[in-house]
Amino acid sequence: MVAEGTYEFRVSGEISERIRDVVGEFSEMRIVAAGPATLIYSSVPDAMHLHGILKLCEDLGLHVVSVQRLPDPQRAP
């Protein structure tokens, strides 16, 4: 089961400007260069959306290194 929330997708390498433009078409995604990797942040409401993002990465030739759900800042003590 996929929990709703914000997810971080770590892909290897820096992504090209063309790929940034394609990913940027999904307005809820934020792209951050992180040394030898690139981080893509997105809100994920359900499993279908999560799989859609992974499929997009695959279609663009991106190598996904890790995916993790970020803690909800509103639930922090």
Side-chain angles (χ1 to χ4, degrees):
M1 183 170 118
V2 174
E4 178 181 355
T6 301
Y7 282 70
E8 174 189 276
F9 302 83
R10 180 178 295 268
V11 299
S12 60
E14 293 184 28
I15 62 175
S16 70
E17 204 55 44
R18 180 188 71 78
I19 292 176
R20 284 179 172 271
D21 290 343
V22 170
V23 172
E25 291 175 8
F26 295 88
S27 61
E28 76 278 0
M29 291 185 172
R30 187 169 53 96
I31 302 169
V32 178
T38 300
L39 304 176
I40 301 171
Y41 296 94
S42 181
S43 175
V44 175
D46 55 34
M48 182 177 278
H49 194 88
L50 176 65
H51 291 289
I53 294 170
L54 292 172
K55 176 73 172 131
L56 173 65
C57 290
E58 178 184 343
D59 290 348
L60 294 172
L62 301 176
H63 175 73
V64 178
V65 176
S66 66
V67 177
Q68 67 177 356
R69 183 174 176 267
L70 301 178
D72 183 354
Q74 296 177 1
R75 291 190 173 192

